């Protein structure tokens, strides 16, 4: 009998309730000390060769017969009204097939109706004004130039503090504050907590808007035929894009197919169908031909989102022994021109330490800049910089080792709800990480001529428990090959490989025989988006359940073939045998004898456990070297020590850690989207002026996984890992820089100019 129950699941702190249909008996996680052929190994990626040889098909590689090219005309101003738009010259250009503007495009509401595909009032530089469809790119570009637009420039505001002022230009008629006011969380009695504190510190921290810069820009190919709409999309969520397109165009879900075979990263910016997707579909419907749109790097960086810029005013009270007695955060968060949610900068303040008295106030502020999107641990990467800088400031004042002050504020239970964690290995992550790093804070400062070295650390909390709904099938074919089917996509983390490992493990077959088919909604096996570090923990358990279902069916069939009771049969090394071994048959033999029959195992992700928090943790350590003459900061070494539950593949897990650490290093030292406040335009929407870390800046990175046994979270005991590695790096580097300099830099990125400036200040102080 199937049972229906409700469970809660979350993506990046946005909770939802889900019904779960439980089909089979609960599958328990593998026990401690279980031995594996594939799980936990350094299994090389099953699609690595396809990727490096160019055989893998990305959206940009999709080429269909008769395919047209679509391109956008974008607003050059931060705030403007379209007075007049004339496309007649452009329409006359040979090879132009269609031009869409607000005049001839149906209203398609976005951001809950606050915006449309085309607006007459444009609220940020790069907002879409017109869309040209042509036979080739050159023609499309000529047509864009031939469109005449008359704009009325409107007063604009690009700075969130300016936007909060009474007389600031209004981004929206209702005002510049998201939902009209800040969101507040209050715990205990902060006023009393500050009164009882032996030490009270106040500081303001600032973080920059950062750009995703996925290797693959946003891209789509849409083809509308009488049978329905097919879209190849570079997306983190094929099912979500399908649902949105079905809503937008009022067509049945079954008439929309979304395909994403391979993608070159998303980092949070690729959940929703973009205007490029919607217009490509409209254009294909109108022309009857497939339409392709690939955003250029600068279009991407003007219109596809960013990590929100923040200002964090932090007040923290500590007891003499280092325990936090009260904390207050007031955060100003630059959402850009539109937003559906506010990144949770308060997240780490609320979740990382046992803080008895806490107040957090978060202002989401609209400005005439690119609407923000999720970006790898949105809110937490920003908030952790403020919180973990403050922890080091207190440690310094009190005379405690930074590691010690963190241990003294360790949360044994989830601080906000008071519930237990399904598992928490942060203490081990601290201690093992510190040992591996050679943490010796007091002696970490070493000066030689103009160079000074020092160490710093930070802690990390994040979600990543995943959840239902997620469904998979594991198919055993007559030739002995196995297919894992589920419509999830691979954001680039190695999803195909880990799913193949899980199936190969449960069916005891060589992984080479497993083929994973994903990235296509027409499989009709729902699975959630690749986000919130939740892909593995959501879909992995469903694949394991499907593989176990297939194995059970296999044993049932074998018992009849071998004429042996089911209870004495076991599956080992690809053979089904009686316990004594006197009767046996290999999986291939059995399947071959069965003939044209594919055995199909089905699996569903079970509910999340009631009354537990599923969270991930890390301790990150950095060694930096600073040039006192130039202010240049070089990161020499990072040790990133993680509790992400059971690790399924050590190789792909290390890939996530190295990638996150390097992206965090960029955020710490290099990356900032710069806005010219006089014109309101973006100075560096390109890869020349927006600095990203390269191999030159990449330090030695050591990944540690502490792997606590987690028997509650899901049937794998695995938790997320995609986002945690970026979260604490900026704070760890800032803390090391502060130790080296003897003065703190409170604003990211820590550029050479800021280091030189800070040194000047330090000198003045000592004079
Ligand atoms: Mo993420 S920021 O859920 O890709």
């Amino acid at each position: 009998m199937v049972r229906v129950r409700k469970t809660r699941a979350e993506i990046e702190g946005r909770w939802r309730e889900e019904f779960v249909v439980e089909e089979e008996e609960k599958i328990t996680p593998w026990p401690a000390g279980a031995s594996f052929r594939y799980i936990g190994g350094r299994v090389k990626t099953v699609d690595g060769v396809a990727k490096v040889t160019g055989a893998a098909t990305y959206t940009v590689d999709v080429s269909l017969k008769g395919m047209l090219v679509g391109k956008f005309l974008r607003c050059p101003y931060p705030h403007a009204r379209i007075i007049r738009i004339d496309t007649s010259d452009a329409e006359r250009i040979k090879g132009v097939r269609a031009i869409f503007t607000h005049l001839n495009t149906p209203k398609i509401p976005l951001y809950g109706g606050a915006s449309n595909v085309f607006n007459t009032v444009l609220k940020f530089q790069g907002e879409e004004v017109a869309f040209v469809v042509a036979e080739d790119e050159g023609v499309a570009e000529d047509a864009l130039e031939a469109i005449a637009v008359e704009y009325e420039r409107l007063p604009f505001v690009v700075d969130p503090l300016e936007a909060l002022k009474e007389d600031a230009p209004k981004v929206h008629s209702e005002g510049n504050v998201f939902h009209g006011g800040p969101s507040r969380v209050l715990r205990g009695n902060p006023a009393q907590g500050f009164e009882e504190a032996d030490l009270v510190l106040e500081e303001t921290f600032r973080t920059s808007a950062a750009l995703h810069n996925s290797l693959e820009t946003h891209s789509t190919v849409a083809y509308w035929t009488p049978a329905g709409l097919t879209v190849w999309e570079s997306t983190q969520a094929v099912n979500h894009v399908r649902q949105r397109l079905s809503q937008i165009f009022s067509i049945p879900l079954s008439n929309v197919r979304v395909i994403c075979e391979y993608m070159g990263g998303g980092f949070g910016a690729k959940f929703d169908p973009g205007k490029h997707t919607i217009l490509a579909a409209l254009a294909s419907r109108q022309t009857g031909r497939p339409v392709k749109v690939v955003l250029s790097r600068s279009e991407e960086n003007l219109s596809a989102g960013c990590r929100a810029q923040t200002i964090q005013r932090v007040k923290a009270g500590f007891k003499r022994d280092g325990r936090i007695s009260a904390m207050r955060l007031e955060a100003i968060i630059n959402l850009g021109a539109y937003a559906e949610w506010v990144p949770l900068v308060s997240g780490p303040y609320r979740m990382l330490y046992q803080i008895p008295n806490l107040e957090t106030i978060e202002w989401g502020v609209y400005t005439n800049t690119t609407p923000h999107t999720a970006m790898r641990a949105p809110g937490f990467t920003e908030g952790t910089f403020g919180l973990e800088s403050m922890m080091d400031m207190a440690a310094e004042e009190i005379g405690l080792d930074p590691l010690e002050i963190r241990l003294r504020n360790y949360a044994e239970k989830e601080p906000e709800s008071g519930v237990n964690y399904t598992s928490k290995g942060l203490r081990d992550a601290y201690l093992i990480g510190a040992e591996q790093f050679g943490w010796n804070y007091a002696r970490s400062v070493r000066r030689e001529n103009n160079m000074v070295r020092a160490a710093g650390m930070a802690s990390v909390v994040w979600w990543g428990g995943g959840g239902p709904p997620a469904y998979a099938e594991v198919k055993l074919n007559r030739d002995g090959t196995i297919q894992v089917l589920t419509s999830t996509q691979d954001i680039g983390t190695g999803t195909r490989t880990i799913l193949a490992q899980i199936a190969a493990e449960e069916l005891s077959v060589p992984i080479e025989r497993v083929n994973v088919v994903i990235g296509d909604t027409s499989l009709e096996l729902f699975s959630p988006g690749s986000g919130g570090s939740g892909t593995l923990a959501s879909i992995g358990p469903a694949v394991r359940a499907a593989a176990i279902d297939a194995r059970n069916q296999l044993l049932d069939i074998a018992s009849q073939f071998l004429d042996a009771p089911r209870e004495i049969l076991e599956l080992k090394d690809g053979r089904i045998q009686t316990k004594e071994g006197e009767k046996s048959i290999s999986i291939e033999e059995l399947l071959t004898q069965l003939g044209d029959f594919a055995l199909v195992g089905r699996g569903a992700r079970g509910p999340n456990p009631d009354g537990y928090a599923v969270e991930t943790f890390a301790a990150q350590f950095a060694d930096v070297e600073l040039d006192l003459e130039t202010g240049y900061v070089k990161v020499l070494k990072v040790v990133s020590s993680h509790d992400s539950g059971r690790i399924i593949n050590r190789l792909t897990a290390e890939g996530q850690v190295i990638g996150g650490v390097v992206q965090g290093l960029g955020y710490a030292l290099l990356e900032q989207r710069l806005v010219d406040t006089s014109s309101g335009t973006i100075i560096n929407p390109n890869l020349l002026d927006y600095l990203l870390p390269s191999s030159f800046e990449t330090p030695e990175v050591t990944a540690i996984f502490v792997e606590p046994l987690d028997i509650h979270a899901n049937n794998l005991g695995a938790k997320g890992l995609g986002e945690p590695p970026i979260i604490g790096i900026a704070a760890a580097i800032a803390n090391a820089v502060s130790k080296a300099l003897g003065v703190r830099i409170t604003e990211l990125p820590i550029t050479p100019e800021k280091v030189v400036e800070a040194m000047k200040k330090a000198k003045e102080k000592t004079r």
Side-chain angles (χ1 to χ4, degrees), residues 347-510:
Y349 293 85
R350 288 155 59 183
M351 290 161 65
L352 190 49
Y353 297 114
Q354 185 52 54
I355 303 180
N357 307 297
L358 175 73
E359 183 180 22
T360 63
I361 301 167
E362 289 162 285
W363 298 83
V365 182
Y366 292 116
T367 61
N368 294 112
T369 57
T370 310
H372 87 98
T373 48
M375 182 170 169
R376 208 169 191 167
F380 281 59
T381 304
E382 299 86 317
T384 299
F385 170 64
L387 174 64
E388 288 293 84
S389 295
M390 188 50 104
M391 292 304 282
D392 263 40
M393 288 167 64
E396 165 102 33
E397 291 284 334
I398 296 166
L400 278 176
D401 187 289
L403 178 57
E404 182 58 30
I405 197 171
R406 287 167 172 85
L407 288 169
R408 289 193 186 176
N409 289 286
Y410 196 83
E412 299 290 351
K413 287 174 187 280
E414 205 290 313
E416 204 148 275
S417 59
V419 302
N420 286 316
Y421 298 103
T422 56
S423 60
K424 179 168 183 176
L426 179 57
R427 198 185 302 279
D428 283 347
Y430 280 133
L431 300 178
I432 298 169
E435 195 192 337
Q436 183 88 15
F437 180 81
W439 178 254
N440 190 338
Y441 183 69
R443 287 211 216 128
S444 77
V445 183
R446 261 175 237 162
R447 184 157 177 184
E448 209 173 292
N449 302 323
N450 273 325
M451 307 303 279
V452 56
R453 280 187 184 196
M457 68 167 297
S459 345
V460 171
V461 65
W462 179 245
W463 290 289
Y471 302 93
E473 286 179 1
V474 170
K475 238 173 103 182
L476 273 56
N477 301 311
R478 68 174 295 182
D479 63 358
T481 60
I482 290 167
Q483 272 164 323
V484 175
L485 305 164
T486 175
S487 62
T488 196
Q489 54 291 306
D490 184 357
I491 189 175
T493 49
T495 302
R496 275 188 184 81
T497 306
I498 52 166
L499 299 185
Q501 286 178 260
I502 293 166
E505 189 72 51
E506 289 301 345
L507 289 161
S508 92
V509 295

Side-chain angles (χ1 to χ4, degrees), residues 111 160 176-179 306 308-309 332-343 363-367 369-373:
Y111 295 102
N176 292 341
V177 176
F178 183 84
H179 283 178
C306 60
Q309 167 201 11
I332 315 288
I333 301 152
N334 183 357
L335 303 175
Y338 294 103
E340 255 158 330
W341 56 282
V342 180
W363 298 83
V365 182
Y366 292 116
T367 61
T369 57
T370 310
H372 87 98
T373 48

Side-chain angles (χ1 to χ4, degrees), residues 11-12 236 266-269 271 374-378 491 530-533 723:
I11 292 186
E12 313 201 313
Q236 298 176 231
F267 301 121
F271 284 106
M375 182 170 169
R376 208 169 191 167
I491 189 175
S530 297
S533 306
E723 284 153 307

Side-chain angles (χ1 to χ4, degrees), residues 518-539:
I518 58 172
D520 187 344
T521 60
S522 71
L523 292 165
E524 299 296 352
L525 289 162
F526 182 93
S527 66
S530 297
S533 306
T535 312
L536 166 60
S538 298
I539 191 64

